[in-house]
Amino acid sequence: MSPAELVPFREALWVWVRVGLQSFGGPAGQIAVMHRILVDEKRWVSESRFLHALNYCMLLPGPEAQQLATYIGWLLHGYRGGLVAGGLFVLPGFVAILALSMVYASFQDVGVIAAVFFGLKAAVLAIVLDALLRIGKRVLVNRAMLAIAVAAFVGIFVLQVPFPLIILGAAVIGLLGTQVHPRAFAVVEGRKGTAEAHASQLDSVADVLDQHPPAHTIPSRSRALGVLAVGALLWGGPVLTLVVLLGPEHVLAQEGVFFSKASAVTFGGAYAVLAYIAQQAVVRFGWLLPGEMLDGLGMAETTPGPLVMVVQFVGFMGAYRQLHGVPPLVAGLFGSVVTTWVTFVPCFVWIFLGAPFIEALRDKAWLTAALSAVTSAVVGVILNLALWFAVHTLFREVAERSHGVAHLLVPDVSSVNVTAVAITVVACVAVFRIKASMPVTLGGCAALGALAHLLVG
């Protein structure tokens, strides 16, 4: 019996709809949502397979949470499962950011909307902290893993070491560490797993995946070449068409080319590439005005889907301002579609191309050790995100101080935003004490933000 027979495609479809609608809070929160639904609740994949897939996605350019959804959808139902899982992960955010971009471009005065975002940011902070604790408890099980997490945090938060170097360094430490102390570097289990992990797999779907791998998960050179050919056609074809038909200086052609390049270098998630995108969009292309990138980031942070969806806002505003001959909102829609297409098509290619080979390596002790170290490093990176998010949410003014190679974010204590602190406390109580659902927490905090705007102004 195959996983597809145990999990009807229609049932999986509605689960992926549910995941997509709850994918708030950036990658940490999104990964936590998928873990809760797919591992704890549905038991469609085991803990070890979930972490194995996650760490592969961490090494790829692009949004790791969306790629993780694509990976698991592919595991269960092949290519159609991956397309549905990855597509539905993006669709709610695309619709939400498109609607907000239209409001933003049409009215510019978005006081109430900004207030709703303000309340949502506090809720997102609590959700990220919850995800940090959940992942940390699963991974930081010994001193070696804790040390790697601390080193990763210091590296990215204090020393500003690029994310890819941190991941590469953690993998090397795992490979070397397994030669000295194998048990300490075997947090992410391979195909055999542990007795405890097997005992938790009450549903037979995870067992079937482990014991009888579906045909599409077995590496095939011809299949890989086919994925490359189709992926190149779907990714490069539309961009080449825009360049040929409209000319290389046309805004849609420029967006297609620029964001295709950006999609190939977004290692480390959206924050790692935002500075580059903002500089090019404002200075080189003139798609945005200074400061508007933060407004777009606010939309992406507080709507479902990957944070890299901020590029959709950039694409919308660029076409809205520079594409003439059609109504501005229609132009913005064209820009949104082009930008989103070239950003996410590569994500499906990376998964469909590499996942079968990664699945075949799940039994390798050296890979298990490397991925265990990478997982621990990711905890440190998420802590960096949580702290960065907290500082910029709770304080109005934040300065960067440098001491040699060390760089620190230092908030101005006198600029503390009392309203943000109050809503964050409410969000933390809802998440950690009351155990409120994510939609309830987000909705309540959004309402508090709007109320604060009406009362305080």
Side-chain angles (χ1 to χ4, degrees):
M1 182 174 291
S2 68
E5 293 173 309
L6 292 172
V7 181
F9 185 75
R10 178 175 296 181
E11 179 184 354
L13 173 65
W14 288 111
V15 168
W16 292 120
V17 169
R18 179 182 167 195
V19 169
L21 291 175
Q22 295 185 28
S23 60
F24 292 89
Q30 294 157 358
I31 291 166
V33 167
M34 280 189 281
H35 184 274
R36 173 172 51 82
I37 294 176
L38 302 174
V39 179
D40 296 336
E41 180 183 324
K42 295 294 184 178
R43 302 191 186 278
W44 286 349
V45 292
S46 64
E47 179 84 14
S48 63
R49 190 181 288 272
F50 184 89
L51 291 176
H52 185 85
L54 171 60
N55 281 289
Y56 171 60
C57 296
M58 288 287 184
L59 299 175
L60 298 173
E64 59 268 29
Q66 187 267 348
Q67 290 169 332
L68 178 61
T70 304
Y71 192 117
I72 297 176
W74 166 83
L75 268 178
L76 296 174
H77 296 101
Y79 294 129
R80 67 168 181 165
L83 290 171
V84 166
L88 289 175
F89 195 89
V90 173
L91 183 59
F94 174 84
V95 173
I97 290 180
L98 178 62
L100 291 173
S101 298
M102 288 180 171
V103 172
Y104 185 93
S106 299
F107 300 103
Q108 290 291 315
D109 181 12
V110 289
V112 175
I113 294 177
V116 169
F117 286 169
F118 174 80
L120 284 173
K121 286 181 181 179
V124 169
L125 175 56
I127 292 168
V128 170
L129 290 173
D130 180 53
L132 175 66
L133 294 176
R134 286 175 179 266
I135 297 174
K137 288 179 181 178
R138 296 199 306 268
V139 175
L140 305 183
V141 297
N142 56 48
R143 293 180 180 178
M145 298 297 105
L146 181 60
I148 293 173
V150 171
F153 171 74
V154 173
I156 195 168
F157 187 77
V158 179
L159 304 178
Q160 296 186 349
V161 178
F163 178 83
L165 290 182
I166 289 177
I167 295 301
L168 178 61
V172 171
I173 291 173
L175 291 174
L176 297 177
T178 191
Q179 304 300 320
V180 179
H181 198 326
R183 291 180 61 85
F185 289 85
V187 174
V188 181
E189 293 293 338
R191 191 184 308 274
K192 295 178 182 178
T194 64
E196 181 180 355
H198 278 292
S200 68
Q201 295 171 11
L202 302 180
D203 195 299
S204 59
V205 178
D207 288 324
V208 169
L209 281 171
D210 285 340
Q211 297 170 12
H212 305 286
H216 66 269
T217 66
I218 299 173
S220 166
R221 183 177 300 179
S222 60
R223 191 185 301 125
L225 291 175
V227 169
L228 271 178
V230 174
L233 179 63
L234 293 177
W235 185 7
V239 176
L240 182 61
T241 301
L242 289 173
V243 171
V244 171
L245 294 182
L246 303 178
E249 300 302 317
H250 193 279
V251 61
L252 293 182
Q254 288 180 330
E255 288 181 346
V257 172
F258 174 70
F259 287 108
S260 289
K261 295 177 181 178
S263 68
V265 298
T266 52
F267 293 96
Y271 287 109
V273 78
L274 280 183
Y276 167 68
I277 291 177
Q279 181 186 36
Q280 296 294 307
V282 174
V283 178
R284 179 183 174 187
F285 295 109
W287 296 334
L288 296 180
L289 300 176
E292 288 185 338
M293 191 71 177
L294 290 177
D295 295 331
L297 181 59
M299 294 181 189
E301 285 175 335
T302 50
T303 52
L307 291 180
V308 79
M309 290 297 292
V310 65
V311 301
Q312 179 192 345
F313 171 75
V314 178
F316 180 96
M317 295 303 298
Y320 179 88
R321 288 179 170 138
Q322 297 186 8
L323 177 56
H324 306 294
V326 296
L329 292 180
V330 175
L333 172 62
F334 290 159
S336 290
V337 171
V338 169
T339 302
T340 303
W341 181 266
V342 299
T343 297
F344 287 99
V345 166
C347 297
F348 292 98
V349 176
W350 309 144
I351 297 301
F352 295 155
L353 180 64
F357 299 94
I358 294 299
E359 282 293 302
L361 294 174
R362 290 186 65 233
D363 284 332
K364 305 300 181 182
W366 58 269
L367 182 63
T368 296
L371 293 183
S372 296
V374 168
T375 305
S376 299
V378 167
V379 174
V381 173
I382 294 175
L383 176 59
N384 161 72
L385 172 62
L387 191 56
W388 186 94
F389 202 13
V391 167
H392 287 85
T393 300
L394 304 180
F395 297 91
R396 293 185 176 90
E397 297 181 12
V398 181
E400 183 174 325
R401 305 286 174 81
S402 299
H403 302 279
V405 297
H407 304 271
L408 292 174
L409 292 177
V410 181
D412 182 351
V413 178
S414 63
S415 71
V416 63
N417 191 324
V418 177
T419 305
V421 172
I423 298 178
T424 300
V425 171
V426 172
C428 288
V429 170
V431 171
F432 295 104
R433 186 73 176 179
I434 303 176
K435 306 295 182 183
S437 66
M438 189 177 298
V440 170
T441 302
L442 290 167
C445 289
L448 288 176
L451 180 63
H453 172 74
L454 295 175
L455 295 178
V456 180

